[in-house]
């Protein structure tokens, strides 16, 4: 037996209140950003709004129509604000307040005079459907920008409510939602409301899942990247190279910044740190999406590039060397001008073996005067074995 519509509003209202209070308590711990405040506040407003609507024909229309539906509208606007804050976007408080104020006016001036409730249902349902679509868009953008897989859950839970509200608005305009009053007799609106209530309760936890996934991603990012330059560290390099295993041969560049110790001694570590970060920017700009930039330690870096011919690998290394030299020429007041010694090795060997060979090439570059590129060919026996 399907619950009557008034009971559905009461159950949904209390469920939203409980969810909202839990989220507000989470914010009170101080372990989260501002989004639980807005997300929890939105659920509290939605809960109060639903309970207010459930009092229809019991309390005055001013309360059950104007105030209750205004609270629900404010809850939806706060929900949209919460997901925007979670996405790191600024919110316009005055603009949101204006939307709530303007959107609420018809509830007090047009829909509280004893007229049919259907135009009010259509009006609010269209607004709620639009808000759900806007939240879905933000969720999709989070999936694209941060690769948050849980963002698809948010999209998947807000899509049905958007469709339900759009369908409810359409049925209301066609006059197919029941009798003269909202709770007069059983109607198709019960099924719509019950389905919407289930999804509204479920979607209350989606942002928590997204926050958990984001924190996990941040921990992985910290574990695999150098905090100073943003390049991968040794652990990140090993993990990334494992993913490349079995593909085409790769070219490994081992890069040493010449005269870096002298630079640190002359200008201090702050300048040295800036030069390290500048090198990573230069390397990434030249590589694009073609490869990996990692910091081995100190002034030594590793670049892994998916297979390219030996002469092209050398040309890429020369472009990196030249771009770094150009960047250094724009650094004023440097008594020491760092350059790059680059050793290259390529093949299908383990990362350790490729680094050993690239290291031999780097030492040859340093012996030959620094600021140059050397390519380490594979040993003859390795070439014959590969053949």
């Amino acid at each position: 037996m399907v619950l009557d519509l008034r009971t559905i509003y009461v159950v949904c209202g209390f469920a939203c209140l409980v969810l909202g209070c839990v989220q507000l308590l989470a914010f009170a711990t101080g372990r989260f950003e501002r989004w639980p405040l807005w997300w929890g506040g939105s659920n509290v407003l939605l809960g109060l709004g639903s309970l207010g609507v459930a009092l229809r024909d019991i309390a005055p229309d001013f309360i059950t129509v104007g105030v209750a539906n205004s609270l629900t509208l404010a809850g939806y606007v706060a929900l949209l604000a919460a997901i925007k804050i979670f996405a790191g976007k600024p919110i316009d408080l005055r603009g949101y307040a204006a939307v709530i104020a303007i959107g609420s006016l018809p509830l007090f001036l047009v829909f509280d005079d004893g007229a049919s409730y259907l135009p009010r249902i259509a009006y609010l349902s269209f607004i709620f459907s639009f808000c759900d679509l806007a939240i879905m868009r933000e969720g999709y953008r989070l999936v694209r920008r941060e690769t948050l897989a849980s963002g698809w859950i948010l999209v998947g839970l807000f899509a049905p409510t958007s469709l339900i509200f759009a369908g409810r608005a359409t049925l209301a305009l066609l006059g197919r939602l029941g009798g003269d009053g909202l709770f007069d007799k059983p109607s198709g609106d019960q099924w719509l409301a019950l389905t919407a209530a289930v999804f509204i309760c479920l979607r209350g936890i989606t942002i928590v899942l997204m926050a958990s996934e984001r924190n996990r991603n941040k921990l992985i990012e910290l574990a695999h990247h150098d905090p100073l330059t943003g390049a991968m560290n040794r652990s990140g390099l090993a993990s990334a190279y494992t993913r490349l295993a079995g593909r085409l041969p790769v070219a490994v560049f081992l890069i040493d910044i010449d005269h870096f110790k002298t630079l640190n001694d002359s200008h201090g570590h702050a300048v040295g740190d800036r030069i390290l970060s500048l090198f990573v920017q230069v390397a990434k700009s030249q590589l694009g999406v073609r490869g990996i930039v990692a910091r081995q330690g100190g002034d030594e870096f590793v670049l892994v590039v998916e297979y390219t011919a030996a002469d092209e690998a050398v040309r890429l290394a020369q472009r990196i060397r030249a771009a770094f030299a150009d960047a250094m020429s724009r650094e004023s007041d440097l008594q020491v001008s760092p350059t790059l010694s680059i050793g290259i090795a390529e093949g299908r060997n383990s990362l350790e073996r490729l680094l050993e060979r690239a290291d031999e090439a780097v030492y040859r570059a340093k012996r030959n005067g620094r600021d140059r590129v050397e390519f380490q060919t594979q040993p003859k026996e390795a070439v014959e074995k590969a053949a």
Side-chain angles (χ1 to χ4, degrees):
M1 180 178 179
V2 179
L3 296 174
D4 66 273
L5 192 56
R6 192 188 302 274
T7 303
I8 292 171
Y9 271 92
V10 171
V11 171
C12 185
F14 277 114
C16 286
L17 282 175
V18 171
L19 283 171
C21 290
V22 170
Q23 288 153 355
L24 290 175
L25 286 173
F27 173 75
T29 64
R31 297 180 180 180
F32 299 92
E33 300 172 348
R34 287 188 302 153
W35 60 262
L37 174 65
W38 285 83
W39 195 270
S42 72
N43 278 313
V44 169
L45 291 170
L46 290 172
L48 292 174
S50 292
L51 293 175
V53 172
L55 294 174
R56 187 73 42 80
D57 304 325
I58 300 173
D61 285 351
F62 175 81
I63 300 295
T64 62
V65 175
V67 175
N69 285 304
S70 295
L71 288 173
T72 304
L73 176 60
Y76 260 89
V77 173
L79 202 61
L80 179 58
I83 197 66
K84 282 184 172 290
I85 291 171
F86 182 84
K89 295 183 177 180
I91 59 171
D92 181 1
L93 291 178
R94 292 183 179 179
Y96 285 173
V99 168
I100 295 170
I102 295 171
S104 298
L105 283 178
L107 300 173
F108 293 97
L109 302 179
V110 178
F111 298 129
D112 69 337
D113 59 356
S116 171
Y117 71 99
L118 295 179
R120 180 178 68 250
I121 292 293
Y123 170 73
L124 289 170
S125 294
F126 274 127
I127 293 176
F128 299 159
S129 179
F130 175 81
C131 287
D132 283 351
L133 286 173
I135 291 170
M136 286 170 59
R137 183 183 66 174
E138 292 299 330
Y140 176 71
R141 288 177 174 175
L142 280 167
V143 171
R144 294 289 302 274
R145 187 173 68 249
E146 298 186 31
T147 62
L148 289 177
S150 52
W152 288 118
I153 299 177
L154 180 135
V155 173
L157 289 176
F158 275 82
T161 52
S162 178
L163 291 173
I164 288 169
F165 283 124
R168 193 174 188 230
T170 303
L171 290 175
L173 291 176
L174 295 175
R176 297 182 180 178
L177 279 185
D180 296 330
L182 181 62
F183 303 124
D184 273 1
K185 63 179 182 179
S187 66
D189 198 25
Q190 287 175 277
W191 293 100
L192 290 174
L194 182 59
T195 307
V198 171
F199 279 103
I200 287 171
C201 293
L202 287 175
R203 71 192 193 182
I205 63 171
T206 55
I207 199 167
V208 178
L209 294 176
M210 293 168 65
S212 177
E213 185 181 1
R214 173 185 278 175
N215 289 336
R216 175 181 173 276
N217 291 346
K218 285 182 177 179
L219 288 174
I220 293 174
E221 183 80 7
L222 289 172
H224 286 176
H225 287 78
D226 172 46
L228 173 63
T229 64
M232 285 187 177
N233 57 21
R234 291 185 180 185
S235 174
L237 175 61
S239 177
Y241 191 83
T242 299
R243 292 194 297 270
L244 291 175
R247 298 188 188 178
L248 294 173
V250 296
V252 171
F253 297 18
L254 189 59
I255 303 176
D256 192 83
I257 300 180
D258 302 320
H259 314 297
F260 186 75
K261 184 179 184 306
T262 305
L263 175 77
N264 262 343
D265 293 341
S266 301
H267 298 281
H269 290 285
V271 173
D273 290 348
R274 190 175 78 244
I275 298 305
L276 292 174
S277 297
L278 182 60
F279 165 76
V280 171
Q281 294 173 24
V282 167
K284 287 183 176 180
S285 68
Q286 295 298 316
L287 279 179
V289 297
R290 297 176 56 191
I292 300 164
V293 181
R295 185 182 179 192
Q296 278 281 88
D299 59 345
E300 193 172 71
F301 292 85
V302 175
L303 276 57
V304 179
V305 184
E306 291 192 28
Y307 182 72
T308 182
D311 55 347
E312 187 176 342
V314 171
R315 284 196 295 270
L316 174 59
Q318 294 287 16
R319 288 199 302 271
I320 293 172
R321 187 183 62 80
F324 182 72
D326 181 60
M328 288 299 96
S329 68
R330 293 193 295 271
E331 291 287 324
S332 58
D333 301 327
L334 285 184
Q335 299 175 15
V336 179
S337 184
T339 57
L340 301 180
S341 292
I342 304 177
I344 305 173
E346 60 86 20
R348 296 179 182 272
N349 307 88
S350 66
L351 177 61
E352 291 75 14
R353 180 56 185 143
L354 288 172
L355 285 174
E356 287 176 7
R357 290 172 43 215
D359 192 48
E360 294 171 10
V362 167
Y363 275 106
R364 190 162 66 250
K366 288 184 172 295
R367 286 196 304 269
N368 292 336
R370 295 187 172 90
D371 192 21
R372 58 188 294 117
V373 177
E374 294 285 348
F375 188 94
Q376 184 74 3
T377 58
Q378 293 194 60
K380 183 179 179 181
E381 58 273 15
V383 175
E384 292 174 348
K385 186 176 180 180

